[in-house]
Amino acid sequence: MSKVCSHMTMSLDGFIADPQDGAGELFGWYSAGEVTVPSGDARWSFELDENSAEMIREMLANTGALVCGRRLFDLTNGWDDSHPVGAPVVVVTHRPPEDTGQWKSTTFAADVAAGITEAKGIAGDKNVTIASASIAQQALDLGLLDEVHISLVPVVLGAGIPYFAQLTRSPHRFDDPVVIQGSRVTHLKYAVRPR
C-alpha cells in the first residue's frame, strides 16, 4: 500500500537549512561512504556507507512522486525537470510559473491537499515523498502524512529553517522509530499515529 512520507535531513536542533537556505553542513553524509548509489538523474550520485546506501536505494525504488513547495522549486531551478529521486514532481504554489508548459515531469497544484491528491494519482502503488518543510507541516496538520523520515546529522545550526514549526493542530504523535545508523547520520522513520 502506498504511503505519503516526508523526508528531510535535519540538524540536532531541528533545522533543515541555515537562515540563508544553506544545507552544506547537513548534506555531508551523502558523500561519507564508499558505496556509490546513482540517483534518478545521471548527473548525480551518492557516496554512502552501506546502511545509508540501503535506505536511499529503498527510497528511490519506492518513490512514485515528489511534492515540494514553490520556494524549493525556485531554489533548485526545478532540478532542471529531473529530480534526483527519479520521479515526477508536484509543486504546491499559488503562483505557478508562466512557463508551466515547458515542464514535462513537473506539475503544479494550488494547495497541499490538491498536490498530494495529484501526486498519489501519479505515484500509483508507490509512495509520495514530501521534500519541503512547509508542505510537510501542512500535510501533518491536515492528517495527510503517514510517515516522517528524518536523516539526523550531528551538527547544531543554532538558527535556520525548522522541519516542523507553526503547526496548527499539535501535538502530533508518532510510533517508535525505525533506526538506521549511518556514517555522519542517523536515519529515523516514524509512523504518524492517526488522530
Side-chain angles (χ1 to χ4, degrees), residues 14-151:
F15 298 107
I16 54 100
D18 67 27
Q20 290 76 40
D21 286 315
E25 289 284 341
L26 300 173
F27 287 170
W29 70 273
Y30 281 110
S31 58
E34 298 181 0
V35 180
T36 301
V37 177
S39 77
D41 184 318
R43 296 175 292 175
W44 296 292
S45 63
F46 309 108
E47 302 296 327
L48 305 166
D49 64 89
E50 187 55 52
N51 290 342
S52 295
E54 184 178 337
M55 186 276 299
I56 288 290
R57 283 187 201 110
E58 181 182 330
M59 184 184 73
L60 292 172
N62 292 328
T63 299
L66 185 111
V67 179
C68 73
R70 177 64 190 265
R71 186 164 165 267
L72 182 59
F73 175 79
D74 287 345
L75 285 170
T76 61
N77 191 36
W79 299 277
D80 297 324
D81 207 29
S82 182
H83 192 279
V85 81
V89 175
V90 177
V91 180
V92 176
T93 180
H94 296 297
R95 331 169 269 109
E98 293 180 13
D99 61 352
T100 57
Q102 84 169 24
W103 300 95
K104 305 300 180 211
S105 297
T106 304
T107 57
F108 301 88
D111 60 50
V112 171
I116 289 174
T117 298
E118 175 81 13
K120 282 181 170 182
I122 293 167
D125 291 339
K126 291 189 172 187
N127 294 338
V128 170
T129 299
I130 298 173
S132 290
S134 174
I135 305 303
Q137 293 163 17
Q138 293 174 65
L140 184 59
D141 274 339
L142 291 169
L144 300 175
L145 195 56
D146 300 310
E147 290 182 352
V148 172
H149 299 199
I150 298 169
S151 291

